[in-house]
Each structure stands twice: as structure tokens, then as C-alpha cells.
Amino acid sequence: GLIKLFKVPRREPKQLGSPGHFNLWAHAQNLVPSISISTESQRIHCKTSQGHQATQTQEKSKGNAIRSIRCNSDGTRVSIIADHVYGKSVRIREPDSRLHVYDSERDIVDSYDFFELQHFPTSHFWDPLEPKLLTCETRQARKVPIVLGDYGVNKLSQPHLLAQSMVSGSLEPTESRHGIASDLTQNVRGNSSSGVQVMTLFVTAEYGMLLQDAFPLEPPLEALLGVQVPQLFFTRCSTRGTKTDFDGSLGNSDDGDNDTSNLRCVALCSRVMRDFVGLDDADNKTRSALLDFSFHLTIGNMDEAHRAVRCIESPAVWENMAHMCVQTKRLDVAEVCLGHMGHARGAAAVRIAKAEIAELEARVASVAVQLGLRNDAARLYRECRRFDLLNELYQAAGEWELALDLASYSDRIHLRSTHHRYALHLEALGSYDNAARHFELANTHRREVPRMLVTRGEQAALERYIMRAKDTELMRWWAGYCESLGHIDSAQHCYESVGDYYSLVRVACFSNQTNHAVEIIGQSFSAAGAYHLARHFEGCGDINKAIHYFAKSGCYNHAIRLARQYQLDVNLLQFSIEACPSLQVDCALYFERKGEFEKAVHLYQKGGELAKALDLCFKVGSAGRTEMFEVLSTISRELDNSAPPNVVARCAEFFVEHGQYEQAVRLYIRGGKYKQAIMLCCEHHVTITEELADAMTPPKIEKYRDHDDSSGKGEQYSLISHKAPAISHDERVELILDLARVCKKQNSYQLACKKFTQAGDRARALRCLLKSGDTKNIIYYASVSRNRDIYILAANYLQSLDWQSGSTDAAELTKRIVEFYTKARAHEPLAAFYDAYAQMEIDEFRDYEKALDALKESKQQLEKAKKLIDRECRIDVLESRIAIVTDFVQARKYEKSDPHKMADMCTAILSRREATTAIRIGDAYALLVEYHFKKGNAHDAFDLLQQMRQGNIALHPYLESNLLEQIHKTVGVVLLPDEKGYMPPADEGLVKEEVGEVE
């Protein structure tokens, strides 16, 4: 043909490719022009720009060389295989693990990296008609150390030296793009141990390079030659005369030499692509549809894939599509595929899975199982954590080790069942020892191992197994087996070794060895053995022994039956007491008919028929049988809350008649007759304790409703009957008031206070508490009551106590009095208390400062008492007193700083008539006497003393005896004897305080 050269300066061609109508070549700068070749003209179809060289994706520190280039059918894409070049003086080429495709329309290089597979591409081919289908042959990378003399660095030729990143715009065929590609990559990685792999890829602008299929290239196939849908072409090496199994193989025929059987000949063979199996001779339309089907399966678009092949009837196509449905988890499309395949069993399995299994992955796994995709099914079961179904899959596939391992760690609920099924499997294979071991692990060996060995007739082996196992249940079974064969001695030995005394007694009775049976029961206390021996004695007619062993076994019904049958009443009463309630009532009726009423009453009571027991007591007692009163008294003490109220009331009346009032009160309470109980306590002086008072307090209406729950909550309800009649609120309050009055009458003031409080009468409750004198409880009760009258009552009571002593307790009482009057807003009583407090400070402690503060507080309270009639008059009097006390406090302050002014102020105070109501005038006289004596005016001081005597003011509370003696000695007057030797109490207190401070 015609060859036309295009001259490009300084660009020497390095690689040349000529697929179809396009010729492409690479020069030294790695630019790849594409030349369109036709018979009419040649022109440059496309060329790479300076910005996108074929080796753009490589590290800039490395050299690169193009090894092979190919162009697709329409000339829009160029595939490139390159090498890394190391060194300068010695250039070493290392294969690149990536296959590059340059897209001329997008001006972008896409790459597919085989690094994860430990492979590198060796050849590549485009389909001559389909521009997006590319095939590639790859080989496994070898780890060969390379020494570079120029750099002096040892490097290892392995895939990790290849570039780790894609070029800009490239797309990775990994999970980040499509799940199908990732799954296919996993399958390829599983086959990567093969030295050569053949892979088909789809290259598109939207999805980049996607792996469509991969399979290992195995002998006799040698190398990939090309692709044309639906076939891949390979070279095949074989000796002459060898037949090929591949369709479409072509070989050279040479008839020249007879010794040609060992000659190596190369032939051409083809292989149908995966998605075209069975349709390799289809027309172009079908091929195009199948190609679209394969492409849409690769990108995971099941809907488009289904539309592409819905008119194709080939089961192989639908099977391939069903396989992809497993990868994409499209259960709906998988059902359609199974229908087109005619896979009735698979369709039925899908319907069952949809009805019984909730997880989508588990449903899809059932499809994978029907298609033979066991690995996919296992993966799906693990994804949805249905380890039980995965366990069943492993068992069905015969993978027992995997099943046991899975059950041990992830499906322990089915561990025993897995061991059991594996044991059955081993039994079927004839591995009986291993089967027995797994039966033991399944805990089914007690039944399955004897069955297995007996079925085989291996009684000796079974005996050895049981004796070696030393299992109680197995030993007991073996003893029964020996007994059935008539080996009594062996059976007894086995029974004794496992402690089965019942069976020993049974065998002894069978052998008529009753004495030995009695010894066994005496040593073992076996109830079952005693029962069997009793039946044996009954059969032999020994009734007394039969009754004895029936009672020993706890079967009192049989002992009672024999005692009544043979009129043995002594044994009957003894066993009836230990029997169940129904038998006790039956025996009581038996004794009642015989006239033994005491026994009958006792058994009626033990059997729970209390009403019948009491009725019988009343009936017999009314007939003159006085011994029944003691029985009735005993029964009444054991009455509980379940006794009917009318029965309890009758018992109470009985006790009243016989003078047992306290017991009658308790019975009245149980019968719900609270008024009668209170009246009985009042009339017959029954002491009311706190427990009895709480019991006589009728519960509220809602407590009747929930009484079953409250019956165990303390002693308050221990005497209340379940069937006590409900009463109204007013009736309940009246009963509680009556109870409180009785408690008050019995001087139980605290109980009376409690009951008055429950009745809502807090004022009377506090009055009762005041009579008890319990100050602590009075303060507490007043604090929590929040009632004005109660506050006033409590404060009035506290004023009657010793609040003036000045101790800590007195200070606390004062605080509480003020607090209660303040909370009650009782201004007048509080004002009076402040007035009394001020007077106490003046009289007892001469503390005029505190007294002044108290008087001011009293004035404030009087001002708040708006309804007080003489409020203004009392305020005026109080203000006058406050003024006097204020002046006197000021005078005392001037005693040391300005004595003259102090004397003038005291003289002025003494001249006022109301001074005696405000202060102790003796204190003012004392200040003046001391002032004049210190100034040397003894006669003036003596005159003041005379004024005090004329005013009947005692001297010794205000002046010291030494001062009095000195004044009288100075003026020449003799001091009276009764005015000597006294010290003011306040000064005595001061002395004590000073002594305490010194100490």
C-alpha cells in the first residue's frame, strides 16, 4: 500500500501501531499522534497535547518508556503499556503495573492499576468493532533485586515500586465506584496465584475503566492474540497430532517428516466470552444486545441489563444475569432470571426465603445457594449476621470443620445441634469413636451412643463405654438393661454405684428380700423406696408396716386410707396432722361423726375450715360441754385476717361473757366493730397501747380497696379484718374522736394527741400534748401544724417554763416563743412578752441595753395591733418608759467620761414620778452615792442612803458593804447589822465571770 511520511522535526518514532483504519506512533518525547489511513488520503486524526503525555502519571524522578500502544476502533482512545526506566549509565526497565488509556475527546488519561493483584500488563487489544471493549494480558510480578550503580541503592523490583496514584481524571475500579467491580476484583485476587491472567475491561467517559471479567490463562494456552466479540483469540502450544478441546483452533499441517510427534507447533484457538456462552453464533443485533447487557451488569445497572436481553431466550445469559443479581442483591431481577432459566427449585427457594427470612442478604444468599455460588452465599450470610443459616450451609456442603468453628464463636446457640448432626454424619461414615465423642459434646450421648452401639450389636463395647464414662444416667440405663436381661446381680451393682435406692428396693422386693429392702431404706431414707415397700407390705397384708412406710414416704393419704379402713384412730390422728388441708378436713368430718369433737375441731382448724371449727365449738359448748371453751379460747388466739367478721364477733361475745376483755377487744377489731371495742376499753378499763390504738383506728375507704397489699405493712393493720365493713368519713372521724377521748381519760396524752390529729382537731391534740409536758414534741407539733391557735397555745405554754434563767435552753425557749407569736401574728401577746423580757433583763441582770431593745420591739408590736382598744394609751406609757431607760443608759455611759453629767441625769430621772415603772431607782441612787463619795461628799452620799431607806429600797442589792461602812464611818453613824455582809447578786455574777476568764 501507500506509505506517506509526515516529517516532524527532532521527533524520531519509537513505537508503531496500526489497528484498522488508524495508524499511531510514539516518538522520543512520548507524544502519540494518530493518523487516519484510507485509500483516498492520510491525515492526522488526533495527537496528544503537550500537557497530557502518556507518562504524565509517573514520578518525575523516574524515566519512562512506552512499550506498547493500541488504538480503539473509532480512534478516540489509545491504550498504552509503559515501563519505568532507572539509571543513567546502565538503564534498567521495570514494567509499570498500570494500563493507561488516553481519551482524545476528553484529553484525559485513565489508568487501571494491577498493583493489588501483584500483576503488570504485558499485552492489550481493542475490539475491532466495539470502541469501549479492551482486553489485557497480565503476568505476576517477580521480586528481583536490582542494583543501580549510579545511585548506589539496592531496590527491589516489585509492585510497590510502581506509582501509587492515578493521573488527574482517572477512575478507580474499586468499591468507591462500583460494588460489582470490587467483588470481581476480589475474585481475581483469589486467582492471582496464577502466573498469567486475561482480563476484559470496559472503557467509557462516564465510568472510566471497569473490570468486566478475568480468568487465568492455563496451559495449553500461551498468550492473548486479540478479541472480536464474542470470542477471545489465543496462541496454543502443542505437539503435532495433539487434539484440541477449543473451538475454532487452527493449526499448521506438515506431512514432510514422519518424526513429528515431538515437534512443538503453535496453533490459533478461540474462547467464547463469559456473557456469550451458548450464543457465539448469534447475529449482530443479539451480539450488540449481549454486549450492552454485559456493560450494564458491569456498572451495576440491573434494570438496563434486563431490558437489553429481555428478548433473548438463552439460559446461559439469564444465568449470568442471575449471578450478577447475587452481587447487586437484586432479588426481584433474580426471580425473573430463575424463571427464564427454568430453575423451578431455585424459584421455590426464593419464595420460601421471602416468606420466612426478613434480611435481604439472607434471601439473596438462598438464590446464591441454588446457583452454586457457595462463597457468595457465605459472604451474604455473614453480612446480615445470620450465622445460623451459614451454619446450615456449611453442614449441607459437608464443611463440618467450618460449621463447628462457626458454631463455637458466632452461633453458640446451635453448637450442640451442630455436634449432634456431625455425629450422625460420622456414624453414617462408620467412624463410631468420633461419633460418640461428638455425641458427648452435643450432650445427647446418653441416648444416642447406646442406640448406635446396640443397633450394631456391640454390647461389650457399650458396657466398656458406660463403665469408662461413669455417668449416672447411663449407669442407671445400663442397670435397667441388665435387669431386663435377667442379670440381677449386675443390675444391683450398677444401681448401688449410682445411688438408685428406689431401684434397689424394687429389685429386693421382687426377689422377696424385704429385710434387705428395710435396711436400704433405713440407710438411705429414700421416700420412693419407702413408698414401694409400703405397697409391697400392703399387698402382703401387713397393714401396720404398710401404714408406717406410707407415712415415712410422705404419702399420708395412703396411710390415712388404711387407718380409716382398719379403724386405727390413733394412727389416723397422728397422720392427719401431717397431711394436706383437704385430708385434714376429711378426717375432721370422720371424727365429728364418731363424736370425738375435740379432734374434729383441731383438724378443722388445721385444715383452714375455721368457721366449721367455731360452729362446732359453739354447738357443743351450748350443749354443756365445758371443755370446748378452752378449745375455743385457743382457736381465737390464732385467728387471722381471713376469718369472717361475724365469726370473729361471736368469739368476742364469748370472751366478754367470760371476762377476757382484752382478747374480746382484739376480736371486735378483727370483726370491724370498732365502736364496741372502744366502749369495752372505756367501760372495763382496758389499757390502750399504741398498737391497740392504731388497730382501733378505722382505715380509710381506699385502704379497704387495697387492703390485701397493706396487710403486711406494719402493725397498724395486723388486727384489721379483710372483710371489715366500710364506713363513711364522718363516722370514721367520730370513732377516732371517741378513741382520743378514751386515751385522754386514761392519761395517754400522746396517744390522745395522735388520734385528735388524725381526726383533724389539732387544737385539742395540742392541749393533750401540753398536759403531757413533752416540750420537745410540743415545739415540733406546733412547727409542723401551721395553725394560728396552735402557735399561740404553744407560745403561751413555753412562757410558763423557765425562760428567764439565762441558760442556753432558756434562750432557745425565748426564740421559740417569739417565733410562734410572730407566725401567729399575735401582736398583743408578743408585745407583752417583750415587755416582760425587758423587765426580766432589768430585774435579773441589770442589762438596760437589752431591756431597751425589748421595749422598742414591744412598741412596734403594739403599733401593729390595730384592733387593740387602749393601744394609744399603752403606746404612750411605753414611750415614756423607753425615754427613761434611754436616759439611764446614757447616764451609765457617762459614769467614767463625765461623772458630773451622769449625776445630773440621774437626779433628773429620780425627779420623774414614772421612773419607778421604767427602771430600778436603786440603780440610779447607787450611781449618785458612788459619785458623791468619790468626790468626798460623804454627807451627801449619806443623805441619798437615807432617801433610799425612806423609800423602802434595800441597800445591799445595789451597794457594796464596804462602801456602806465607809460612808457611815465618815459621817459617824453606825451601820445596822442587817445591812452588812451583802454583795449585789449582779456583782457576784460578774466576779464569777471574771474568775472563769482568769482560769
Side-chain angles (χ1 to χ4, degrees):
L2 176 64
I3 299 176
K4 183 177 179 179
L5 298 177
F6 292 87
K7 295 182 179 180
V8 182
R10 295 181 297 173
R11 295 183 180 179
E12 179 182 355
K14 295 297 183 180
Q15 295 290 338
L16 180 66
S18 178
H21 298 286
F22 299 94
N23 188 9
L24 64 155
W25 54 278
H27 48 71
Q29 280 72 29
N30 288 340
L31 298 180
V32 186
S34 175
I35 303 175
S36 177
I37 303 175
S38 65
T39 58
E40 298 176 357
S41 62
Q42 300 91 28
R43 60 184 176 83
I44 295 179
H45 182 71
C46 66
K47 66 178 180 178
T48 58
S49 64
Q50 293 294 336
H52 291 286
Q53 296 184 1
T55 58
Q56 184 178 355
T57 61
Q58 312 302 328
E59 292 84 347
K60 294 183 179 180
S61 62
K62 303 176 182 178
N64 302 284
I66 295 178
R67 177 155 37 98
S68 174
I69 56 176
R70 300 283 181 182
C71 181
N72 67 346
S73 61
D74 60 0
T76 58
R77 297 182 182 89
V78 176
S79 58
I80 302 169
I81 297 177
D83 293 333
H84 300 308
V85 180
Y86 301 95
K88 294 182 178 179
S89 60
V90 179
R91 299 180 64 82
I92 299 176
R93 298 167 69 102
E94 182 184 57
D96 189 353
S97 64
R98 291 172 293 179
L99 174 63
H100 307 281
V101 174
Y102 171 70
D103 191 335
S104 63
E105 295 179 349
R106 296 184 296 151
D107 197 20
I108 288 178
V109 177
D110 293 328
S111 300
Y112 190 91
D113 199 345
F114 300 98
F115 171 75
E116 293 184 1
L117 307 177
Q118 304 292 323
H119 277 228
F120 64 92
T122 57
S123 62
H124 54 124
F125 302 94
W126 291 90
D127 187 272
L129 299 179
E130 178 56 45
K132 62 178 177 291
L133 184 61
L134 174 64
T135 60
C136 177
E137 178 183 331
T138 64
R139 292 184 180 274
Q140 190 171 11
R142 293 179 298 173
K143 300 179 181 179
V144 180
I146 300 174
V147 180
L148 301 181
D150 295 344
Y151 298 99
V153 179
N154 292 333
K155 295 187 178 181
L156 191 64
S157 177
Q158 52 183 335
H160 74 266
L161 293 175
L162 305 178
Q164 301 297 318
S165 61
M166 299 292 183
V167 298
S168 175
S170 63
L171 300 174
E172 296 180 4
T174 59
E175 292 181 356
S176 61
R177 190 72 178 179
H178 298 289
I180 298 177
S182 175
D183 295 335
L184 189 55
T185 302
Q186 297 292 335
N187 295 334
V188 174
R189 188 179 294 112
N191 298 326
S192 62
S193 59
S194 176
V196 184
Q197 294 275 339
V198 177
M199 306 182 187
T200 57
L201 302 96
F202 283 109
V203 184
T204 62
E206 295 83 1
Y207 301 100
M209 302 177 67
L210 299 177
L211 184 62
Q212 186 265 342
D213 189 20
F215 57 88
L217 189 64
E218 299 175 349
L221 300 182
E222 280 193 338
L224 176 68
L225 283 183
V227 59
Q228 183 172 6
V229 175
Q231 293 180 334
L232 298 170
F233 296 96
F234 304 90
T235 59
R236 179 179 61 83
C237 178
S238 63
T239 59
R240 182 169 302 211
T242 302
K243 294 183 181 181
T244 180
D245 295 333
F246 293 90
D247 295 336
S249 62
L250 301 173
N252 296 328
S253 60
D254 187 2
D255 301 332
D257 192 356
N258 294 331
D259 191 13
T260 61
S261 60
N262 295 325
L263 293 179
R264 182 178 182 274
C265 62
V266 179
L268 176 68
C269 63
S270 64
R271 174 172 175 172
V272 179
M273 298 174 66
R274 182 191 63 185
D275 294 338
F276 293 84
V277 175
L279 296 175
D280 51 336
D281 57 349
D283 55 9
N284 293 333
K285 183 178 180 181
T286 303
R287 291 182 182 179
S288 178
L290 289 175
L291 197 61
D292 292 339
F293 165 76
S294 180
F295 173 70
H296 290 304
L297 282 183
T298 302
I299 65 176
N301 194 340
M302 300 302 301
D303 296 330
E304 292 296 332
H306 178 259
R307 279 194 288 269
V309 296
R310 58 186 175 185
C311 297
I312 299 176
E313 299 296 335
S314 174
V317 174
W318 293 105
E319 184 176 359
N320 291 335
M321 189 172 180
H323 287 187
M324 298 310 297
C325 289
V326 172
Q327 302 294 334
T328 58
K329 302 177 184 178
R330 288 295 301 271
L331 190 62
D332 52 346
V333 181
E335 289 186 89
V336 177
C337 295
L338 291 173
H340 283 280
M341 291 168 57
H343 202 310
R345 185 183 66 235
V350 172
R351 286 195 299 271
I352 295 173
K354 290 175 66 177
E356 297 179 356
I357 302 176
E359 297 83 358
L360 174 62
E361 291 83 358
R363 296 178 179 180
V364 177
S366 64
V367 178
V369 171
Q370 298 300 323
L371 296 175
L373 305 176
R374 193 177 69 190
N375 293 335
D376 291 328
R379 174 179 56 82
L380 291 168
Y381 282 138
R382 288 187 181 276
E383 286 181 5
C384 65
R385 303 188 65 81
R386 288 300 302 269
F387 300 110
D388 54 337
L389 299 178
L390 180 58
N391 191 356
E392 293 179 2
L393 175 63
Y394 284 149
Q395 294 179 30
E399 299 288 349
W400 290 103
E401 292 184 1
L402 293 176
L404 290 172
D405 185 67
L406 178 70
S408 299
Y409 294 100
S410 302
D411 189 28
R412 293 196 56 87
I413 194 172
H414 295 111
L415 179 59
R416 288 187 177 181
S417 61
T418 304
H419 279 293
H420 180 77
R421 293 174 184 173
Y422 186 39
L424 294 176
H425 173 71
L426 292 174
E427 181 185 355
L429 295 179
S431 181
Y432 299 107
D433 293 337
N434 291 330
R437 183 169 59 86
H438 284 279
F439 277 134
E440 291 175 358
L441 293 175
N443 200 24
T444 57
H445 60 287
R446 296 179 181 88
R447 180 175 58 87
E448 295 297 334
V449 172
R451 175 195 57 77
M452 179 178 66
L453 296 179
V454 169
T455 302
R456 293 180 56 207
E458 298 280 351
Q459 280 80 8
L462 177 58
E463 183 178 2
R464 289 194 301 271
Y465 173 80
I466 293 174
M467 296 303 172
R468 184 174 65 254
K470 296 181 179 180
D471 185 88
T472 301
E473 188 174 344
L474 278 176
M475 189 69 74
R476 186 180 290 111
W477 178 88
W478 178 251
Y481 182 73
C482 293
E483 184 182 354
S484 66
L485 297 177
H487 302 157
I488 303 300
D489 295 337
S490 298
Q492 286 181 334
H493 174 72
C494 294
Y495 283 138
E496 186 175 359
S497 63
V498 298
D500 191 352
Y501 300 106
Y502 163 72
S503 298
L504 287 173
V505 171
R506 179 175 52 79
V507 172
C509 292
F510 177 77
S511 303
N512 291 323
Q513 299 176 358
T514 55
N515 294 331
H516 181 55
V518 170
E519 292 177 0
I520 294 173
I521 294 173
Q523 296 174 358
S524 63
F525 304 101
S526 173
Y531 176 80
H532 186 83
L533 183 59
R535 294 297 299 269
H536 178 74
F537 281 130
E538 182 182 0
C540 296
D542 196 342
I543 303 302
N544 290 327
K545 289 185 178 180
I547 292 175
H548 172 71
Y549 282 102
F550 273 134
K552 196 168 186 177
S553 66
C555 297
Y556 295 105
N557 55 336
H558 291 285
I560 292 172
R561 172 178 57 82
L562 292 178
R564 291 180 60 178
Q565 182 178 355
Y566 292 95
Q567 302 294 321
L568 301 175
D569 293 346
V570 177
N571 294 333
L572 179 60
L573 180 61
Q574 177 185 354
F575 299 138
S576 298
I577 294 174
E578 302 294 335
C580 62
S582 60
L583 289 175
Q584 290 173 346
V585 173
D586 190 24
C587 293
L589 184 61
Y590 170 79
F591 283 117
E592 182 181 357
R593 291 173 180 172
K594 293 189 67 174
E596 300 181 14
F597 300 111
E598 293 183 10
K599 296 180 180 179
V601 169
H602 182 62
L603 291 176
Y604 274 136
Q605 181 188 3
K606 294 285 290 183
E609 294 291 340
L610 187 60
K612 290 186 178 181
L614 293 175
D615 289 339
L616 185 59
C617 286
F618 295 143
K619 178 181 178 182
V620 176
S622 61
R625 299 282 294 270
T626 56
E627 65 272 9
M628 300 306 298
F629 293 116
E630 184 177 355
V631 177
L632 181 59
S633 177
T634 304
I635 295 175
S636 64
R637 295 191 189 97
E638 299 178 3
L639 288 176
D640 56 10
N641 298 337
S642 61
N646 56 345
V647 173
V648 175
R650 290 181 60 187
C651 292
E653 294 173 359
F654 168 80
F655 284 116
V656 170
E657 293 175 358
H658 291 79
Q660 298 183 7
Y661 302 110
E662 184 175 353
Q663 191 70 17
V665 168
R666 294 181 178 273
L667 290 175
Y668 274 134
I669 294 172
R670 287 197 181 98
K673 297 186 177 183
Y674 303 106
K675 192 171 185 63
Q676 289 86 336
I678 295 171
M679 291 177 62
L680 194 61
C681 290
C682 182
E683 293 174 358
H684 298 281
H685 306 288
V686 177
T687 303
I688 300 178
T689 62
E690 185 174 0
E691 176 190 355
L692 201 59
D694 291 338
M696 283 191 288
T697 302
K700 294 182 180 180
I701 296 176
E702 56 270 17
K703 289 184 179 179
Y704 283 106
R705 192 179 300 115
D706 301 331
H707 186 67
D708 289 338
D709 297 332
S710 63
S711 60
K713 297 180 181 179
E715 298 294 335
Q716 181 176 358
Y717 305 104
S718 61
L719 301 176
I720 300 176
S721 173
H722 284 285
K723 301 179 182 179
I727 59 176
S728 64
H729 176 72
D730 295 338
E731 292 176 345
R732 179 178 180 274
V733 170
E734 188 62 31
L735 284 174
I736 296 176
L737 289 174
D738 292 341
L739 177 60
R741 295 186 190 100
V742 175
C743 292
K744 182 179 178 182
K745 189 176 181 180
Q746 294 183 356
N747 296 329
S748 299
Y749 297 113
Q750 292 188 351
L751 275 180
C753 173
K754 181 179 179 181
K755 296 308 166 183
F756 276 127
T757 303
Q758 290 179 355
D761 194 345
R762 291 182 175 271
R764 296 176 67 180
L766 183 61
R767 291 190 183 96
C768 290
L769 199 59
L770 294 176
K771 289 185 178 182
S772 67
D774 191 348
T775 304
K776 183 177 180 180
N777 284 334
I778 291 170
I779 293 174
Y780 174 77
Y781 189 85
S783 299
V784 300
S785 294
R786 297 183 181 181
N787 183 278
R788 184 176 184 274
D789 296 336
I790 291 177
Y791 283 139
I792 295 174
L793 286 173
N796 293 341
Y797 167 77
L798 294 179
Q799 283 195 72
S800 65
L801 301 178
D802 186 15
W803 59 272
Q804 301 174 351
S805 62
S807 62
T808 304
D809 294 338
E812 182 66 22
L813 289 175
T814 303
K815 178 181 175 182
R816 290 295 183 180
I817 293 169
V818 174
E819 177 187 350
F820 291 156
Y821 278 139
T822 303
K823 289 182 177 180
R825 296 183 180 180
H827 304 296
E828 182 182 0
L830 184 56
F833 175 73
Y834 275 126
D835 194 349
Y837 181 81
Q839 194 64 39
M840 180 268 298
E841 290 291 343
I842 293 172
D843 294 340
E844 300 294 334
F845 304 103
R846 299 171 64 184
D847 192 341
Y848 286 92
E849 286 80 3
K850 289 186 178 181
L852 181 60
D853 294 337
L855 290 174
K856 291 179 180 179
E857 290 290 340
S858 177
K859 177 186 174 183
Q860 291 181 3
Q861 296 300 323
L862 286 176
E863 290 174 350
K864 294 179 181 179
K866 304 295 184 181
K867 298 181 180 181
L868 190 61
I869 299 176
D870 56 345
R871 183 170 67 90
E872 298 298 334
C873 180
R874 294 176 63 177
I875 291 176
D876 294 339
V877 173
L878 194 58
E879 288 178 347
S880 176
R881 291 175 62 192
I882 292 173
I884 296 173
V885 174
T886 302
D887 292 342
F888 185 71
V889 170
Q890 291 293 331
R892 292 180 68 180
K893 291 181 180 179
Y894 291 130
E895 182 180 3
K896 294 181 180 180
S897 61
D898 193 353
H900 180 70
K901 187 174 182 180
M902 179 269 295
D904 293 340
M905 293 182 68
C906 288
T907 304
I909 291 171
L910 291 174
S911 64
R912 300 174 64 175
R913 292 183 301 175
E914 61 271 15
T916 56
T917 61
I919 64 173
R920 295 196 309 178
I921 58 175
D923 293 329
Y925 278 116
L927 289 176
L928 290 174
V929 169
E930 291 177 359
Y931 167 73
H932 288 293
F933 182 76
K934 288 179 181 179
K935 290 189 68 176
N937 298 327
H939 291 280
D940 293 338
F942 182 75
D943 292 339
L944 291 173
L945 292 177
Q946 290 298 108
Q947 292 179 15
M948 292 178 67
R949 290 187 178 99
Q950 292 174 2
N952 295 324
I953 300 174
L955 300 180
H956 61 269
Y958 305 102
L959 296 170
E960 296 180 0
S961 59
N962 294 333
L963 179 61
L964 293 175
E965 290 177 356
Q966 292 178 10
I967 293 173
H968 283 76
K969 183 178 180 181
T970 302
V971 297
V973 178
V974 179
L975 183 64
L976 297 176
D978 58 347
E979 295 178 344
K980 293 181 180 181
Y982 293 99
M983 182 177 289
D987 295 341
E988 182 181 358
L990 292 174
V991 172
K992 290 182 179 180
E993 291 179 359
E994 291 177 359
V995 172
E997 291 177 358
V998 171
E999 290 177 354

